[in-house]
Amino acid sequence: MGVITDVADYLRASVPKEFLGVCMAVIVLLQISRIASKFFFFSEQRKPATAPESSCKDLNKSGIWTPVDFKTPTPERYPNWDVNKTKPLPYRPFKHNYHVTMGIRNMNWDDWIELDNEFLKYHKRKCERLAERREKLVITAPDAYDAAIELLEEFREWLPARYPTLFKRTNVGIDNLVTGESFNIVERPLKDNVDPMEIAAKLVQDDLAIMMPGEDGQYYLKAACILLAGFWRLADKFGMPLSEIHTSGDVPQFKEKLQMSMERFFVRMRVDRPVVRNNYFLQTDDDLGWSTAIGPEDNNDIGWDAAEQAHDITKVHFRSERQSLRRLPKSGGIVFTIRTYFVPITEIAKEPYVPGRLADGIRAWSDDVARYKGRRKFDNIVIDYLNEQHRKQLEAGLSLEEEPSQYPF
Ligand SMILES: *[C@@H]1O[C@H](CO)[C@@H](O)[C@H](O)[C@H]1NC(C)=O
């Protein structure tokens, strides 16, 4: 199972040629219907949970997904997992160069959800965030409710098998043995009318979203609990199709390099082929939940333009997301898990080769990527700092010839 950096290669490798031809035809038809849909019912499709009755009904009977008979493989128990001792995985997904790509790799089912000794810290921060502003952070549209419940049902089986010292499956749901929480996922309504995505998000360190297929072949953000995203707000994206989520966020080179393959990927995604990808950002403050440097969370114009020039290297954090995607067999929803790893840059710069490689990576950002990632607000201190740490590593005997060519993702 090699690293797949190009979705086209992935698709070529995984499906026979004749099938590709049929798929291309289907995609052309879908694109046509998508364009048509923009004219006829685009505005209705986009409306969030409060959409009028009629549009919800339209989506409910969309019938574009036929449930498939698939059971998520039961994972192996995580070896020696300990809520106090298991360290976060050291994802350092940067290279000496930088290219905009989907960068997806196949995912082993055992790796779906990664938990570590920061679970309690993340859980606490999540609960604080929910208490502060729940209505802005979690929502499930009526037509995605079944998918959100389906996700809970999946977690109820998968989590206790993978982390039996943290979770226990019960007759009615799942218990967290460390926090003492007990969740009933079968009663209706759920206790206190809680949103099922909130329960799901309390069980893991990830943020969670479900993209639902619409009649037009596009995938819409219909259910989510986004608590630790740092730079984006659920309320800005809820109800949007995949493409608009990216264009509204000014994702660099999205239209040119990503849109076609990404949309195609979603349409074709199989229930038994989960994938994973990693990205990275720098943040000039130390809040895991929301990057206050780009503006208060409720401001209209948040963004790097609003940020002050960074001046304190100890505040700069390396923020890396590990995203997984899988399709739910019953509802057809695509579950998107977004696990943020958050480390002070002064910590990761101690690791061999990391400061040199990260400095090169940041310098290699094209202008649009640099604007998107806010480079001008921190390069004044970050590049000098990383160069200095790199020089110290070389002085201490680090051999550039021996730098591994495969970096740990
Ligand atoms: C983890 O640490 C806490 C506090 O230090 C302790 O109360 C708890 O028993 C520990 N849990 C395990 C599984 O070692």
Side-chain angles (χ1 to χ4, degrees):
M1 186 177 63
V3 171
I4 293 163
T5 48
D6 182 329
V7 68
D9 283 347
Y10 168 74
L11 293 168
R12 252 179 254 125
S14 59
V15 289
K17 273 209 186 71
E18 311 76 64
F19 182 61
L20 267 183
V22 175
C23 288
M24 286 308 291
V26 170
I27 283 157
V28 168
L29 286 173
L30 283 172
Q31 291 292 337
I32 292 168
S33 71
R34 190 167 72 85
I35 292 162
S37 74
K38 286 224 162 96
F39 291 100
F40 296 116
F41 48 78
F42 183 66
S43 57
E44 231 181 31
Q45 286 274 353
R46 285 197 35 191
K47 286 208 183 112
T50 50
E53 178 88 66
S54 64
S55 80
C56 288
K57 267 199 213 124
D58 287 349
L59 283 176
N60 281 338
K61 71 170 166 58
S62 66
I64 70 162
W65 178 256
T66 313
V68 296
D69 190 17
F70 172 78
K71 189 177 173 305
T72 304
T74 304
E76 292 285 322
R77 178 182 182 146
Y78 192 111
N80 306 314
W81 191 86
D82 186 311
V83 72
N84 290 332
K85 294 196 191 124
T86 303
K87 295 218 175 81
L89 291 170
Y91 288 115
R92 307 292 178 249
F94 42 84
K95 300 179 183 167
H96 289 283
N97 52 26
Y98 187 91
H99 299 289
V100 173
T101 122
M102 262 174 76
I104 55 173
R105 326 189 287 284
N106 292 326
M107 185 186 82
N108 187 322
W109 280 111
D110 282 358
D111 302 329
W112 186 25
I113 299 294
E114 293 173 345
L115 305 179
D116 52 55
N117 64 3
E118 297 192 348
F119 179 88
L120 290 173
K121 187 173 104 185
Y122 277 55
H123 185 269
K124 178 164 173 277
R125 191 75 189 102
K126 284 183 164 197
C127 292
E128 287 164 2
R129 300 264 300 150
L130 283 164
E132 279 162 24
R133 45 172 63 239
R134 170 176 281 102
E135 71 286 357
K136 300 210 169 110
L137 304 176
V138 52
I139 186 163
T140 296
D143 51 308
Y145 195 84
D146 290 349
I149 293 289
E150 189 182 359
L151 173 60
L152 277 179
E153 287 166 350
E154 292 279 342
F155 276 178
R156 180 195 191 187
E157 305 302 324
W158 195 94
L159 289 170
R162 183 70 169 159
Y163 303 103
T165 57
L166 185 58
F167 295 108
K168 181 165 172 277
R169 186 191 191 284
T170 66
N171 286 337
V172 294
I174 179 169
D175 287 357
N176 184 316
L177 301 169
V178 173
T179 63
E181 292 164 302
S182 186
F183 299 103
N184 180 323
I185 68 165
V186 299
E187 64 189 342
R188 295 290 178 278
L190 290 168
K191 185 163 177 246
D192 302 326
N193 259 318
V194 67
D195 191 302
M197 294 303 285
E198 176 176 331
I199 297 181
K202 281 182 175 166
L203 294 170
V204 297
Q205 286 169 251
D206 310 60
D207 284 333
L208 300 167
I210 303 181
M211 306 292 297
M212 295 298 290
E215 280 181 324
D216 57 358
Q218 292 228 74
Y219 279 74
Y220 291 83
L221 177 54
K222 287 286 185 162
C225 187
I226 304 293
L227 303 173
L228 309 173
F231 294 112
W232 68 279
R233 302 178 294 206
L234 176 57
D236 294 338
K237 311 281 183 193
F238 185 73
M240 282 185 181
L242 193 63
S243 54
E244 202 183 345
I245 288 173
H246 290 83
T247 51
S248 67
D250 291 325
V251 173
Q253 299 162 43
F254 175 74
K255 276 197 187 313
E256 309 88 286
K257 290 219 177 138
L258 301 175
Q259 181 164 7
M260 278 275 284
S261 48
M262 199 181 289
E263 290 185 348
R264 207 181 311 164
F265 178 81
F266 268 68
V267 170
R268 291 180 185 181
M269 183 161 203
R270 288 166 43 165
V271 293
D272 61 347
R273 289 278 178 85
V275 298
V276 65
R277 67 184 293 268
N278 294 71
N279 63 21
Y280 73 98
F281 301 90
L282 294 192
Q283 182 174 328
T284 56
D285 60 90
D286 55 9
D287 189 341
L288 170 66
W290 176 258
S291 171
T292 48
I294 64 159
E297 202 168 355
D298 291 317
N299 270 21
N300 280 334
D301 45 354
I302 50 160
W304 283 107
D305 286 343
E308 307 256 309
Q309 199 67 32
H311 53 85
D312 182 356
I313 194 72
T314 66
K315 283 274 177 350
V316 178
H317 276 62
F318 176 74
R319 174 183 277 271
S320 176
E321 289 175 348
R322 183 250 186 201
Q323 306 171 345
S324 83
L325 290 134
R326 65 156 296 181
R327 193 193 286 278
L328 296 167
K330 283 196 264 177
S331 62
I334 293 183
V335 175
F336 191 40
T337 69
I338 309 152
R339 167 65 200 279
T340 294
Y341 291 82
F342 195 59
V343 201
I345 197 166
T346 51
E347 286 299 314
I348 68 165
K350 291 176 186 160
E351 299 168 10
Y353 302 104
V354 159
R357 206 169 87 228
L358 183 55
D360 281 351
I362 294 172
R363 273 190 295 251
W365 293 350
S366 52
D367 289 346
D368 51 356
V369 172
R371 219 173 304 125
Y372 176 64
K373 295 194 192 240
R375 185 170 66 191
R376 72 184 190 287
K377 299 292 183 168
F378 52 72
D379 60 355
N380 57 320
I381 55 170
V382 165
I383 299 288
D384 283 353
Y385 173 78
L386 292 174
N387 285 342
E388 175 69 10
Q389 299 307 307
H390 180 58
R391 192 181 55 74
K392 283 186 186 160
Q393 290 189 355
L394 292 179
E395 277 171 15
L398 187 83
S399 156
L400 290 183
E401 281 77 53
E402 286 165 28
E403 179 169 5
S405 59
Q406 283 287 349
Y407 305 117
F409 274 91

